[in-house]
Amino acid sequence: EPEVTQTPSHQVTQMGQEVILRCVPISNHLYFYWYRQILGQKVEFLVSFYNNEISEKSEIFDDQFSVERPDGSNFTLKIRSTKLEDSAMYFCATSEGDRRTDTQYFGPGTRLTVL
Amino acid sequence: GDSVTQMEGPVTLSEEAFLTINCTYTATGYPSLFWYVQYPGEGLQLLLKATKADDKGSNKGFEATYRKETTSFHLEKGSVQVSDSAVYFCALVYGGATNKLIFGTGTLLAVQP
């Protein structure tokens, strides 16, 4: 069964450093998402992406965050200057369509630790 | 705004016990409803979904019915196994222009042999 994959599984970085989290979507999926889960809290939506454009972003997704699909397969989330409060599990998800009946399939996540 | 509320965990059960995890939602429109499961060390997996009122989603012995009148989507299983130990998330989505999943806080289920 096709899967969403994410790398790295765990990233440790110093405050103020840039990080790039990578996701490989399921091959025929066109809609891509990032979510995050701070330890002990809810899974929160960050951004959705379709046709090389951001469709929707949350208040969390400020100017420090960016997404792109650099090579037609990977989907990346960049945090320009990490803060302590960015420490969380980051999940990539992908779906075939954007209907409310379409399932979003999640990757295993990247645990980001900012020191 | 739209939100999902789940019962607090952890829920601890003995093997073969009956499971209910309550989920209620607040929505301005007509969302689809989902249950996702997260096994230790893994990502979120879709467990089941329902896309309209009175629909019942089912998978692996788990069931949930979309109740519009009570705005609920409670997860049930008749006989849990140790392998069901995981965190369970209830979520809703509208689709279209705003296709983000809105999650509840998650409920940790621990099944003891």
XYZ file of all heavy atoms in Angstrom, chain B residues 82 89 102:
26
model
N -5.136 -6.238 23.210
C -3.934 -5.503 23.625
C -3.383 -4.686 22.468
O -2.897 -3.567 22.655
C -2.874 -6.478 24.184
C -1.555 -5.771 24.418
C -3.371 -7.125 25.475
N -7.801 9.726 17.702
C -8.129 11.130 17.433
C -9.409 11.203 16.624
O -9.527 10.571 15.566
C -7.026 11.805 16.621
C -5.725 11.975 17.331
C -4.752 10.997 17.252
C -5.471 13.113 18.081
C -3.537 11.160 17.897
C -4.261 13.288 18.731
C -3.296 12.299 18.634
N -9.679 19.338 11.545
C -9.713 19.901 12.889
C -9.800 18.721 13.851
O -10.751 17.920 13.775
C -10.907 20.851 13.059
C -10.752 22.033 12.107
C -11.020 21.331 14.508
C -11.959 22.932 12.031
